[in-house]
C-alpha cells in the first residue's frame, strides 16, 4: 500500500489520499490500483472511492466508481470470474464462472456454469466438508445439455462423492467411499482434459470394515459399481461381504513350558464371503427395472484350511495341509439338444438350449497336500581388488496335492451339433465362485528359485568397505506332473526372471518349454499339442513354446540438484514444472518381444512371431535464463513410425506476473492457449487469455 497522504486513527484504521494498492513488492510496482481516496480496516477490508488500473506506468481506460477489497485471512465468499473462448462445435463460451460460499468451518458450496452461443450449457454444484478428527470428503453434481447442429441431446449428468473416515473416530473399523456415476456422453461433450475425453469407464465403491476386538474375526461390507459408457452397460454388486477368521492355533498351550509340541503349530483359518450382483446389464432404451432386478444372481462361498509346519533334519520345511471349499448357489443350468430349432431361412438346424433350475445347491471340493522346501546358500570368493565374492541362493520346493473325482456330482454331457458330437459341461459354469474340477488329480508341483548377488569394493563405505550388487534378482523354473492323467501328464516348464542393472535398466523375461510335440493349425494359426513327446519324435527333451522379453529404462540426463536453491515455489495455477536446473531430459523406453516356437515337419525349429511392442517417451525441460522455462513432452510409436503426441509449454516469470503458452501441435487435443496474469490470488481475474477453438471430438 502506497499513499501521498495518510491518517492513522487509534483503532488502527487508516484514511488515505492518492494511494496505490498492489501485490508487487518493488519500490516502483509493475502494476497497481490507483486510489483517489480510501479507508483501510486492518485484517478486514479496503474501501475506496474512484479508482483506476495502472500497468507498467500506463493508465488503462478502466475506471472504477468505487472499490471493495477484502483482506480477511482464510476463505471468503465471492464471485468466481469465468473464462471466455471459442469451441469448434459449441460456439463461443463463458465457462467456469459462478459463486463460492464458505458456509461454515465444516463445509462450503461452489456453483459453476458454462454457457455456449449455440445453445449448450452446464451447471455444476460441488461441496467440500471436513469435521476434524472425524471425516472429510467432497460431493459434486453436474447437469448439462448439449446442442450440436441444431439438435439438442437429452440431459446428461455426472455425480461424484469422496469420503474418508478418520482412523481415530473408528479405532476398530473403517468407512470409505469413492463414487463416480455419469450418463453416457457426459464426459465426451464436457471434456476438460484428454483423459476425460477417452475415459469410457466409471468405477465406484463404498466399503465398511469392522474388526472385532480381542478376536480373530473381521467383517467387510462393500458396494461396487462398474459402468461402460461406450456400450451402455453396467455391473453392480450389493452387497459384497466377507467374514474372515485369521489363523488360530487350537492346540497351542496358553502357558508353554519347555519345547513346543509338533501339534501346537497346527493352525486353522476360515473365510466366508457372498455377493448379490448383476453383470453387463444394458442401460439403454430397452432397460426394464423388473428385468434388471430379476437378473441379479446370488452366491456364497466358505473356505477353511488346516495346516502346520514341521522341520525335517533342521533344514527342510514340511507343510502338510487340508483345504475345503463349499460354494452355495441358488440355481443351476442344464444344457440339452433341441431338434426343432430352425434358422432364419426356415431350415431345421437344431440347437442347444439352456434350462435354469432354481434351488439350493452346495458345490464343494477339497484337497490334501504336503510341501517340502529349503534354502541352499553358496558363495565363491575372488582375490580381485574390486570383485570380492558372488553369492547364490537356491530355493527348491516340491508340493504334492490330491483332488478327488467329483465329475458325477457337478458335471454332465450334452449333444452339441447335428453330427452327434457331445461335449462336457458343468451345471454351474459362469457362476461367481467357479466350479470344481471334473477329474481327480494327483499333482506334483516343482519349482526352483535362484538369486545371484555380487559383493564389490566400495570406497564410500568406511565401515565394511563392501557394496552388494544384485545380478539376478530372481530366476525361477517350475512345472507340475499329474500322475492320474491318461496323457500330457507333464505340464509346461515355466521360466521367469527379472533384474535391474545399474539401478536404471529393468529386464523381465518369461517363457515356457513344452515336452510334447505341437503343430500349427492352418485355419487358425494356433498351435495344437499332440500326445507324442519331443523325446520320442525328435530326440529332444523339449521344444521352445514361447518367450516374452520386456526391457525398460527411465534415464534422467542433466545436472542433479544437490541443495535447496533448486527448490522453486511455483504458482499452483501453472500445471507444468518450472525449474532452476538449466536442463534435464527424461527418457523412458519399453520393449515387448513375444514369440511362440514349434518344430515343423522337417524337424526344424520354427516360430510364430507376435506383435513387437516398443514405446519411447521423452520429457525435457530447460531454462534459457533464470525466469524462462520450456518443457517438452512427446512419444514415438515404432509400429506406426510417427509421433503419437506432443505438448510444449513455455513459461516466463514476470516477477509479480506469470506468462505461459501451452501448445499441442496435433492430435485430438490439438490446440494452443496463451495466458498472462497476476500471480496473487486476489487479482487472479486480472488477466489476458487467448486460445484456439477447443476440439475434443
Amino acid at each position: 500500500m502506497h499513499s501521498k497522504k495518510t491518517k492513522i486513527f487509534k483503532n488502527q484504521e487508516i484514511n488515505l489520499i492518492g494511494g496505490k494498492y498492489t501485490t508487487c513488492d518493488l519500490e516502483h510496482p509493475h502494476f497497481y490500483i490507483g486510489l483517489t481516496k480510501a479507508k483501510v480496516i486492518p485484517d478486514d477490508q479496503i474501501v475506496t472511492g474512484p479508482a483506476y488500473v495502472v500497468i507498467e506506468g500506463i493508465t488503462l481506460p478502466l475506471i472504477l466508481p468505487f472499490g471493495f477489497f477484502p483482506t480477511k485471512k482464510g476463505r471468503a465468499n465471492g464471485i468466481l470470474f469465468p473464462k471466455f473462448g471459442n469451441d469448434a462445435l459449441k460456439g463461443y463460451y463463458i465457462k467456469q464462472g459462478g459463486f463460492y460460499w464458505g458456509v461454515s468451518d465444516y463445509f462450503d458450496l461452489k456453483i459453476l456454469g458454462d454457457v455456449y452461443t449455440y445453445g449448450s450449457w452446464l451447471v455444476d454444484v460441488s461441496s467440500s466438508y471436513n469435521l476434524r478428527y472425524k471425516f472429510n470428503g467432497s460431493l459434486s453434481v453436474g447437469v448439462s445439455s448439449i446442442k450440436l447442429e441444431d439438435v439438442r441431446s437429452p440431459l446428461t449428468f455426472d455425480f461424484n462423492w469422496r469420503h474418508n473416515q478418520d482412523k481415530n473416530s473408528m479405532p476398530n473399523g473403517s468407512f470409505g467411499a469413492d463414487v463416480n456415476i455419469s450418463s453416457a456422453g457426459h464426459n465426451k461433450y464436457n471434456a476438460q482434459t484428454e483423459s476425460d475425453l477417452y475415459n469410457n469407464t466409471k468405477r465406484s465403491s463404498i466399503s465398511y470394515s469392522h474388526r472385532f476386538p480381542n478376536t480373530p474375526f473381521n467383517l467387510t461390507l462393500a458396494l461396487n459399481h462398474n459402468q461402460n459408457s461406450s456400450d451402455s452397460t453396467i455391473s453392480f454388486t450389493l452387497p459384497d461381504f466377507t467374514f474372515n477368521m485369521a489363523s488360530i492355533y487350537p492346540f497351542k498351550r496358553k502357558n508353554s513350558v519347555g519345547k513346543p509340541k509338533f501339534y501346537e503349530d497346527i493352525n486353522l483359518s476360515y473365510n466366508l464371503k457372498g455377493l448379490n450382483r448383476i453383470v453387463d446389464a444394458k442401460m439403454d432404451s430397452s432397460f426394464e427395472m423388473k428385468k434388471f432386478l430379476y437378473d441379479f444372481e446370488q452366491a456364497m462361498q466358505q473356505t477353511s484350511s488346516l495346516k502346520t509346519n514341521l522341520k525335517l533334519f533342521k533344514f527342510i520345511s514340511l507343510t502338510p495341509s487340508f483345504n475345503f471349499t463349499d460354494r452355495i448357489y441358488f440355481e443351476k443350468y442344464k444344457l440339452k439338444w433341441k431338434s426343432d430349432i430352425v434358422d432364419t431361412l426356415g431350415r431345421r438346424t437344431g440347437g442347444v438350449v439352456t434350462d435354469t433350475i432354481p434351488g439350493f445347491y452346495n458345490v464343494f471340493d477339497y484337497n490334501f497336500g504336503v510341501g517340502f522346501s529349503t534354502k541352499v546358500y553358496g558363495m565363491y570368493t575372488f582375490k580381485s581388488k574390486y570383485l570380492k565374492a558372488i553369492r547364490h541362493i537356491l530355493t527348491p520346493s516340491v508340493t504334492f496335492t490330491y483332488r478327488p473325482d467329483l465329475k458325477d456330482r457337478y458335471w454332465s454331457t450334452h449333444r452339441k451339433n447335428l453330427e452327434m458330437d457331445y461335449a462336457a459341461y458343468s451345471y454351474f459354469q459362469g457362476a461367481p465362485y467357479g466350479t470344481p474340477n471334473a477329474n481327480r488329480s494327483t499333482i506334483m508341483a516343482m519349482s526352483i528359485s535362484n538369486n545371484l548377488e555380487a559383493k564389490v569394493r566400495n570406497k564410500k563405505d568406511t565401515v565394511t568397505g563392501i557394496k552388494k550388487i544384485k545380478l539376478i534378482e530372481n530366476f525361477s523354473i517350475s512345472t507340475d506332473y499329474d500322475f492320474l492323467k491318461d496323457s500330457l501328464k507333464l505340464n509346461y516348464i515355466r521360466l521367469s526372471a527379472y533384474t535391474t542393472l545399474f539401478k536404471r535398466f529393468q529386464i523381465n523375461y518369461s517363457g515356457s518349454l513344452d515336452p510334447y510335440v505341437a503343430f500349427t493349425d492352418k485355419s487358425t494359426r494356433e498351435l495344437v499339442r499332440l500326445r507324442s513327446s519331443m523325446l520320442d519324435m525328435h530326440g529332444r527333451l523339449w521344444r521352445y513354446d514361447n518367450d516374452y522379453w520386456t526391457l525398460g529404462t527411465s534415464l534422467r540426463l542433466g545436472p542433479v540438484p544437490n541443495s535447496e536453491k533448486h527448490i522453486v515455489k511455483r504458482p499452483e495455477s501453472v500445471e507444468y514444472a518450472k525449474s532452476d536446473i538449466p536442463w534435464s531430459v527424461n527418457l523412458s523406453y519399453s520393449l515387448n518381444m513375444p514369440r511362440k516356437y514349434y518344430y515343423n515337419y522337417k524337424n526344424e525349429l520354427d516360430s510364430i512371431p507376435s506383435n513387437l511392442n516398443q514405446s519411447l517417451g521423452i520429457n525435457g525441460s530447460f531454462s534459457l535464463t533464470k525466469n524462462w522455462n520450456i518443457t517438452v513432452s512427446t512419444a514415438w510409436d515404432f509400429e506406426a513410425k510417427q509421433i503419437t503426441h506432443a505438448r510444449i509449454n513455455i513459461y516466463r516469470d514476470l516477477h509479480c506476473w506469470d506468462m505461459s503458452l501451452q501448445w499441442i501441435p496435433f492430435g485430438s487435443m490439438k490446440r494452443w492457449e496463451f495466458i498472462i496474469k497476476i500471480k496473487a490470488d486476489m487479482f487472479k481475474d486480472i488477466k489476458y487469455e487467448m486460445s484456439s477453438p477447443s476440439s475434443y471430438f
Side-chain angles (χ1 to χ4, degrees):
M1 179 69 74
H2 305 249
S3 68
K4 293 181 179 178
K5 291 184 179 181
T6 305
K7 184 176 182 178
I8 302 177
F9 296 89
K10 290 182 179 180
N11 60 0
Q12 301 301 313
E13 292 183 359
I14 302 172
N15 287 354
L16 57 87
I17 295 176
K20 299 178 182 179
Y21 183 50
T22 181
T23 57
C24 184
D25 57 3
L26 297 180
E27 182 179 356
H28 301 287
H30 291 116
F31 80 98
Y32 61 86
I33 308 294
L35 312 175
T36 56
K37 58 182 178 179
K39 185 179 185 68
V40 179
I41 304 174
D43 296 327
D44 188 6
Q45 59 188 348
I46 300 173
V47 182
T48 77
Y52 51 92
V53 179
V54 178
I55 297 177
E56 289 292 348
I58 300 174
T59 302
L60 302 182
L62 180 60
I63 308 299
L64 305 176
F66 60 89
F68 171 78
F69 301 95
T71 58
K72 284 184 178 180
K73 295 181 179 179
R75 60 185 177 183
N77 305 331
I79 295 174
L80 301 173
F81 202 74
K83 289 184 176 181
F84 302 91
N86 181 23
D87 187 283
L89 296 181
K90 294 185 285 186
Y92 291 97
Y93 61 74
I94 301 174
K95 67 179 183 180
Q96 295 183 12
F99 185 79
Y100 175 82
W101 180 23
V103 182
S104 70
D105 292 335
Y106 305 111
F107 72 98
D108 60 10
L109 183 67
K110 182 165 63 174
I111 302 174
L112 297 175
D114 300 352
V115 179
Y116 297 83
T117 55
Y118 293 171
S120 300
W121 56 266
L122 166 70
V123 175
D124 187 83
V125 181
S126 61
S127 175
S128 298
Y129 57 88
N130 184 13
L131 185 59
R132 185 175 295 181
Y133 307 125
K134 293 294 184 179
F135 54 79
N136 64 81
S138 62
L139 184 72
S140 69
V141 180
V143 179
S144 74
S145 175
I146 304 299
K147 187 177 181 181
L148 301 175
E149 298 179 352
D150 296 327
V151 177
R152 184 171 294 280
S153 302
L155 290 178
T156 63
F157 74 91
D158 181 71
F159 176 81
N160 298 279
W161 177 37
R162 307 283 188 278
H163 181 89
N164 298 299
Q165 197 76 24
D166 194 293
K167 293 181 180 179
N168 296 323
S169 66
M170 300 181 67
N172 295 314
S174 64
F175 176 77
D178 185 0
V179 179
N180 304 278
I181 302 173
S182 68
S183 54
H186 185 89
N187 272 20
K188 176 181 179 181
Y189 295 116
N190 297 284
Q192 300 293 333
T193 64
E194 193 169 5
S195 61
D196 291 340
L197 178 63
Y198 295 112
N199 184 16
N200 294 320
T201 60
K202 295 279 188 175
R203 293 182 175 85
S204 304
S205 66
I206 302 175
S207 63
Y208 168 78
S209 65
H210 180 76
R211 178 177 55 83
F212 298 91
N214 304 317
T215 73
F217 303 107
N218 63 78
L219 173 68
T220 300
L221 300 173
L223 175 153
N224 297 302
H225 153 267
N226 286 315
Q227 173 187 343
N228 192 326
S229 58
S230 62
D231 58 5
S232 299
T233 59
I234 184 174
S235 298
F236 195 76
T237 304
L238 175 66
D240 185 351
F241 75 87
T242 302
F243 179 77
N244 186 66
M245 182 187 76
S247 297
I248 61 173
Y249 295 81
F251 305 109
K252 197 165 189 175
R253 293 171 290 176
K254 292 184 178 180
N255 299 313
S256 181
V257 178
K259 187 177 180 181
K261 306 297 183 181
F262 74 91
Y263 54 80
E264 292 188 66
D265 287 330
I266 297 176
N267 62 83
L268 173 68
S269 61
Y270 175 79
N271 177 274
L272 171 66
K273 57 184 178 181
L275 55 77
N276 175 52
R277 74 173 188 181
I278 188 170
V279 180
D280 294 338
K282 279 287 186 180
M283 302 296 288
D284 52 17
S285 57
S286 63
F287 175 78
E288 295 181 8
M289 179 58 71
K290 184 176 180 180
K291 184 178 184 303
F292 177 77
L293 297 176
Y294 178 79
D295 287 341
F296 271 87
E297 61 177 337
Q298 300 79 33
M300 298 174 63
Q301 176 181 274
Q302 50 185 342
T303 59
S304 60
S305 176
L306 186 68
K307 60 183 179 181
T308 187
N309 191 287
L310 305 172
K311 284 289 185 181
L312 294 179
F313 313 112
K314 297 183 180 181
F315 304 111
I316 300 176
S317 295
L318 173 66
T319 309
S321 62
F322 171 75
N323 301 287
F324 179 83
T325 301
D326 178 29
R327 307 164 186 85
I328 301 172
Y329 297 136
F330 300 94
E331 59 186 19
K332 72 176 182 179
Y333 307 99
K334 280 193 173 182
L335 306 183
K336 62 180 181 181
W337 178 262
K338 196 171 182 180
S339 302
D340 57 354
I341 295 178
V342 296
D343 61 12
T344 55
L345 300 177
R347 297 174 299 184
R348 178 176 290 185
T349 58
V352 179
V353 296
T354 302
D355 290 337
T356 303
I357 305 173
F360 185 88
Y361 303 98
N362 277 96
V363 183
F364 67 87
D365 67 333
Y366 55 89
N367 65 76
F368 302 91
V370 59
F372 302 86
S373 65
T374 188
K375 283 184 179 291
V376 180
Y377 297 86
M379 182 176 292
Y380 187 84
T381 58
F382 296 87
K383 296 181 180 181
S384 170
K385 292 182 179 180
Y386 179 74
L387 180 61
K388 299 298 182 181
I390 290 181
R391 188 178 74 161
H392 179 209
I393 303 176
L394 180 70
T395 308
S397 67
V398 179
T399 303
F400 293 90
T401 305
Y402 170 76
R403 294 179 183 273
D405 184 357
L406 300 173
K407 180 190 293 185
D408 295 338
R409 283 178 173 268
Y410 310 122
W411 289 74
S412 184
T413 58
H414 71 91
R415 179 183 167 187
K416 65 178 184 178
N417 53 32
L418 293 172
E419 287 73 26
M420 301 296 289
D421 294 327
Y422 282 78
Y425 76 97
S426 169
Y427 296 134
F428 306 98
Q429 59 187 10
Y433 299 118
T435 186
N437 291 331
N439 300 313
R440 66 171 183 159
S441 62
T442 300
I443 297 175
M444 179 180 66
M446 301 161 284
S447 69
I448 298 176
S449 297
N450 299 269
N451 174 273
L452 203 62
E453 289 184 349
K455 292 184 177 182
V456 298
R457 187 179 64 173
N458 184 11
K459 294 181 179 180
K460 296 181 180 179
D461 191 333
T462 58
V463 179
T464 63
I466 296 295
K467 179 175 68 173
K468 293 182 180 179
I469 298 177
K470 294 181 178 180
L471 302 178
I472 300 176
E473 295 184 48
N474 183 65
F475 172 55
S476 63
I477 306 171
S478 62
T479 187
D480 55 78
Y481 186 90
D482 191 340
F483 292 91
L484 300 182
K485 266 189 174 182
D486 58 352
S487 62
L488 304 176
K489 295 187 176 184
L490 183 61
N491 207 339
Y492 292 97
I493 302 171
R494 297 171 293 275
L495 312 173
S496 66
Y498 66 89
T499 191
T500 302
L501 301 178
F502 312 112
K503 298 182 180 181
R504 293 184 182 273
F505 298 94
Q506 297 84 35
I507 302 176
N508 289 270
Y509 168 78
S510 62
S512 61
L513 308 173
D514 192 353
Y516 298 99
V517 178
F519 73 97
T520 306
D521 190 308
K522 293 183 179 179
S523 60
T524 63
R525 295 291 295 167
E526 293 291 330
L527 289 179
V528 180
R529 298 178 81 195
L530 302 179
R531 297 189 177 190
S532 304
S533 69
M534 286 293 298
L535 187 61
D536 292 337
M537 290 198 66
H538 299 291
R540 299 180 177 90
L541 292 177
W542 53 66
R543 63 175 180 85
Y544 283 104
D545 178 63
N546 67 71
D547 56 30
Y548 189 90
W549 286 91
T550 302
L551 309 177
T553 183
S554 179
L555 183 62
R556 184 184 183 282
L557 305 175
V560 179
N562 56 6
S563 66
E564 295 183 357
K565 70 179 182 180
H566 294 285
I567 301 175
V568 179
K569 294 183 179 179
R570 56 184 182 274
E572 294 181 357
S573 59
V574 181
E575 297 178 355
Y576 39 85
K578 174 183 179 298
S579 173
D580 278 346
I581 300 174
W583 66 276
S584 66
V585 177
N586 293 311
L587 302 175
S588 59
Y589 173 77
S590 66
L591 170 65
N592 298 326
M593 299 186 297
R595 182 176 289 270
K596 294 187 74 68
Y597 297 90
Y598 68 101
Y599 282 91
N600 58 25
Y601 67 95
K602 295 182 180 180
N603 195 20
E604 296 174 344
L605 184 65
D606 205 343
S607 64
I608 302 176
S610 300
N611 293 330
L612 181 69
N613 299 316
Q614 296 184 81
S615 64
L616 174 65
I618 303 174
N619 293 281
S621 172
F622 62 95
S623 300
L624 296 175
T625 66
K626 177 183 177 181
N627 297 316
W628 279 97
N629 183 261
I630 300 174
T631 61
V632 179
S633 173
T634 186
W636 176 261
D637 187 334
F638 287 88
E639 184 176 353
K641 296 182 179 179
Q642 64 181 16
I643 298 174
T644 57
H645 74 271
R647 185 187 296 265
I648 300 172
N649 297 312
I650 302 175
Y651 173 80
R652 176 68 164 92
D653 187 340
L654 298 171
H655 187 249
C656 52
W657 290 69
D658 279 329
M659 183 184 72
S660 63
L661 172 65
Q662 184 184 93
W663 180 34
I664 303 175
F666 51 81
S668 59
M669 298 288 290
K670 178 182 178 180
R671 67 190 303 268
W672 59 267
E673 182 180 36
F674 174 80
I675 302 175
I676 182 170
K677 62 183 180 62
I678 297 175
K679 289 182 180 179
D681 287 340
M682 178 178 293
F683 298 113
K684 66 180 181 180
D685 293 326
I686 301 179
K687 59 185 176 180
Y688 175 74
E689 292 182 311
M690 187 168 54
S691 63
S692 63
S694 301
S695 57
Y696 294 106
F697 311 101

